[in-house]
Amino acid sequence: MSIRCLITAGPTREYFDPVRFISNPSSGKMGFAIAEAASALGWTVDLVAGPVSLPEPVGVMLYPVVTAEEMLRQTDALFGPCDVLIMTAAVSDWRPKVCLPEKLKKTGKNLSVELEPVPDILATLAQRRRPDQLLVGFAAETESVEENARTKLSQKKIDFIAANSVAGPAGAFGRDENQLILLGREGYRQVIGPASKKVVAQKLVAELSAALATRSC
Ligand code: CTP
């Protein structure tokens, strides 16, 4: 069976003037490793990535974006024909209400920047999903990792969530190793790693492959 996979990776950036933005330390390594693992299995892979410094994975269609709004638009455009959506992107949850056209000059005084929420991409797409599509989220947590991830699994109405600790220097952001707790519906729970992100990606894709095979029976 030929499988079409849509992956998001990296951070998003939200600018408040042409040279300043809010974002997070996501490197995109996990999402890129999953794209490579999926491509190696023969899946057709679309990879929507925020600003990262990683080489383009071989055999994968890369769509660079910057903001959450751009990521939503690009992912939405590619979502229809996909069999699996894997959202590893660390979407910046707020954006400045205003982005100034020129660099803001410092005054020596405090600065307040009003932020507004960005759309939840995964929850938005889940609302118009087909039942045969597999939707996988990544929960970036600093505490109560598994419990918080399970809440997101049900709130976002998705099939799997990979609980991922991003607390402190041992957290997942930017590192070459990772450990995931893959949670599914009806009590499914699988610990993947600790291992290199490459190995974690291969194991994750194998789990999803098995889940897809069950669905298509
Ligand atoms: N996500 C998304 N759109 C957002 C925020 C998150 O699609 N605006 C996706 C992420 O790509 C991830 C999942 O939702 O697959 C969980 O993201 P996470 O950052 O862990 O949680 P949030 O939903 O942002 O909630 P919170 O920041 O309160 O933990």
Side-chain angles (χ1 to χ4, degrees):
M1 183 173 109
S2 108
I3 292 173
R4 188 161 199 113
C5 179
L6 173 57
I7 299 170
T8 65
T12 56
R13 270 184 198 172
E14 305 293 343
Y15 283 84
F16 63 90
D17 80 8
V19 294
R20 300 184 181 104
F21 55 85
I22 64 163
S23 189
N24 60 68
S26 170
S27 64
K29 286 178 186 172
M30 194 67 248
F32 275 55
I34 295 170
E36 272 171 10
S39 175
L41 268 192
W43 294 8
T44 302
V45 180
D46 291 320
L47 176 60
V48 179
V52 294
S53 309
L54 295 171
E56 189 167 340
V58 178
V60 166
M61 198 64 201
L62 180 65
Y63 300 85
V65 296
V66 176
T67 66
E69 193 62 46
E70 287 170 14
M71 184 171 277
L72 172 62
R73 251 184 277 130
Q74 188 61 75
T75 316
D76 187 58
L78 295 164
F79 182 61
C82 89
D83 301 298
V84 194
L85 168 68
I86 308 174
M87 287 275 322
T88 74
V91 183
S92 177
D93 286 313
W94 293 275
R95 66 183 159 217
K97 268 195 136 171
V98 175
C99 178
L100 300 169
E102 306 299 340
K103 187 181 171 204
L104 184 64
K105 293 294 175 196
K106 64 177 178 286
T107 59
K109 294 187 181 141
N110 291 351
L111 171 69
S112 296
V113 178
E114 195 178 352
L115 304 177
E116 64 181 11
V118 302
D120 189 314
I121 301 168
L122 188 50
T124 305
L125 295 179
Q127 282 172 6
R128 66 173 188 84
R129 67 175 296 176
R130 295 191 316 271
D132 61 302
Q133 287 176 311
L134 207 61
L135 270 55
V136 185
F138 265 64
E141 307 293 349
T142 57
E143 38 102 27
S144 308
V145 173
E146 198 165 333
E147 190 187 332
N148 287 344
R150 210 166 265 296
T151 303
K152 286 175 189 172
L153 176 70
S154 63
Q155 279 180 349
K156 293 185 192 247
K157 298 189 170 51
I158 56 178
D159 303 289
F160 290 100
I161 192 134
N164 209 188
S165 173
V166 291
F173 280 149
R175 294 180 70 230
D176 290 325
E177 296 78 39
N178 201 7
Q179 180 180 34
L180 304 175
I181 307 173
L182 186 62
L183 303 169
R185 300 193 172 276
E186 288 139 27
Y188 171 96
R189 182 181 187 276
Q190 180 80 39
V191 179
I192 304 179
S196 67
K197 284 186 173 172
K198 183 177 174 170
V199 169
V200 168
Q202 287 165 341
K203 291 188 173 167
L204 174 70
V205 170
E207 289 295 320
L208 300 180
S209 200
L212 279 168
T214 322
R215 286 193 157 208
S216 55
C217 289

